[in-house]
Amino acid sequence: MLTFSRQLVQSPIGRKLMISIVLFSSLITLVTTGYQLVMDYRSDLGRIDRAFTTIETVNLDVLAASIWVIDERLINTQLNGLIQLPDITYILINDDSGQHWAIGERLDDNVLEREFPLQYNSGSESIAVGKLLVQADLNAIYQRLYDRAILILLSNAIKTFLVAGMILFLVWINITRHLHSLSEYCQRIDLEGEFSPLAFHQKGKQNEFDLVALAINEMQEQLRRSFSAIKKSRTELQIALEDRERLLELERSYKDELAKQVKERTQELEHSLQILKRAQQVLVEQEKMAALGGLVSGVAHEINTPIGICLTAASAQLAHIDELVKLIHSPDATLEEINAILDEYQQSCELIVSNITRASNLIQKFKTVAAEQSHEEHRNINLKQVLGEICESTSLIFAPMKVDLDIEADENLYITTNQSLLSQIVSNILSNAYTHAFNRDRENKLQIRAEVKNHHLEILIEDNGKGITAEVAEHMFEPFFTTSRSRGGTGLGLSAAFNAATLLKGNVRYVPNSSLGGAAFAIRFPVNAHFEAPMPLTQPNNLHG
């Protein structure tokens, strides 16, 4: 019995269950007791309030009449009757003449009192004769509530502990003792020893513990079979490990030989890579010189035309001046002839001025492009103006091929970036279009759309050329890849554009679906952008060296 009691008390499940029952039952007891005490307190206050109401409706008129006639005996009789009301402990009557009558003991704390005016009704006239003070003691109510609370709590505590003890005993009988037997059985399990099935000693029908015992016995039989298989596999694994060690030794010898071969091959590849890099540098320089030669040739052609016109017009002016001099010294000269010569002279001057202005603009743009290509620092530029200058310089290289160019960009948009790299990206993509997409027998169109989104400049360059096949598009950004090597192509244009976009922390990619039906390239890199009001344009009046 002592062992049973000790196991019953020391059971963790039993203790937790008993504590949970006691706490929950105590909480319910406290809530119900509190509710009952509040209701009793309200009932006692209602009883006192009903007593005050009875005094007000029944006794005030009689007391007023007694005071009016100053009937001492009747007043004392009524006071003795009122003091008998429940919880009424003190009554005081004060009349207007200064007399007073009191009964009971007056308290200062924990009381509920009410004062009533005494009115004597004489016919239709009401005369105030005094005041009635009635006091009820709340201490008696508090004491009754305290005694009731102690009784309820003690009775519920005894009931709770009895119920919890009974539940704890039932849990031990039906659950805990079987779990204890199960834990002891599991501790005694030895897979290499003799098999002893688990059985719970209990009476009655089969329950969940019998199912648990059946499952554990089956699991133990499976474990024993698995353990035997593991022992057999362990022996086989030991043999396999020995074979593995031999194979690893052979693999190490192969790896050493392979590493030696890889090292020799790597040295050969590094040497070939150095040769390839030197060849790439030479080809890049040749590409730059070829582009520069084409640009200079185009600019020279464009400048030669207005200068030739100016020379012709200047020669014509000399002839006009000789005619004008002869006409002035001729006695037969007329004003109409002089005006005609002067009109021709004026037209020649206007022609010279317009063509000199055109040559000046070409030289100025050529200087701007050349100077900006060598400038590697970030600067504030007008995007649309720079794109226009790049397009015009590219068209000079590929003159006389005609291309309808459309640039969509805000004229007041300014960005801060490396203009040299931007020019390299755009000019290489445009050169690729001129070289591979356009021909002189059709109407060539080129569209450039530029805008700033989320602090990134996005430029889309589209053409209406013959497009790019999927096989070419897969390799066209690779260095030295070209489809026109027989015509002198080096395959470095788009590769240089890709590298320049990478230096700007952006990218350039091919867009297969173009709105113009040809090829499209999307450029994107971060920039600082803002809008400025356009500056007033001034007409150049002279050439700058």
Side-chain angles (χ1 to χ4, degrees), residues 174-197:
N174 294 285
I175 299 175
T176 308
R177 67 188 184 96
H178 298 309
L179 294 177
H180 183 70
S181 301
L182 178 61
S183 64
E184 291 181 347
Y185 176 81
C186 291
Q187 291 175 358
R188 295 194 305 267
I189 290 178
D190 185 6
L191 296 179
E192 296 182 352
E194 184 179 355
F195 173 64
S196 176

Side-chain angles (χ1 to χ4, degrees), residues 343-501:
D343 289 339
E344 293 178 357
Y345 185 81
Q346 183 179 5
Q347 292 176 3
S348 298
C349 289
E350 292 176 353
L351 186 61
I352 291 173
V353 169
S354 63
N355 281 276
I356 289 177
T357 301
R358 179 184 173 191
S360 176
N361 289 335
L362 289 173
I363 293 173
Q364 186 66 28
K365 290 178 180 179
F366 178 69
K367 286 178 56 181
T368 302
V369 173
E372 289 169 352
Q373 287 296 325
S374 61
H375 191 53
E376 297 297 335
E377 295 182 356
H378 285 61
R379 56 177 299 185
N380 188 36
I381 59 175
N382 183 284
L383 179 60
K384 187 169 184 179
Q385 179 181 352
V386 170
L387 291 176
E389 293 172 354
I390 296 172
C391 293
E392 187 167 354
S393 62
T394 306
S395 65
L396 292 178
I397 298 175
F398 294 93
M401 183 179 292
K402 300 299 182 182
V403 176
D404 183 12
L405 178 65
D406 180 23
I407 300 178
E408 296 182 9
D410 197 318
E411 296 181 352
N412 300 326
L413 177 60
Y414 285 78
I415 63 171
T416 301
T417 187
N418 188 319
Q419 186 175 347
S420 173
L421 296 177
L422 174 60
S423 300
Q424 185 176 355
I425 298 171
V426 177
S427 62
N428 277 302
I429 293 177
L430 295 180
S431 298
N432 187 74
Y434 275 92
T435 303
H436 300 282
F438 298 150
N439 57 63
R440 300 180 183 181
D441 301 331
R442 58 173 297 179
E443 182 180 355
N444 302 310
K445 292 184 180 180
L446 190 65
Q447 185 181 62
I448 301 178
R449 287 181 290 178
E451 59 181 341
V452 175
K453 292 183 180 179
N454 298 326
H455 305 288
H456 282 74
L457 175 62
E458 296 183 357
I459 302 176
L460 181 64
I461 303 176
E462 299 179 281
D463 61 62
N464 66 337
K466 57 185 178 181
I468 301 174
T469 63
E471 293 79 10
V472 175
E474 185 178 357
H475 303 282
M476 62 184 174
F477 290 109
E478 298 177 3
F480 307 108
F481 177 82
T482 179
T483 58
S484 60
R485 194 174 304 278
S486 60
R487 299 192 300 271
T490 60
L492 294 175
L494 292 181
S495 175
F498 183 86
N499 293 335

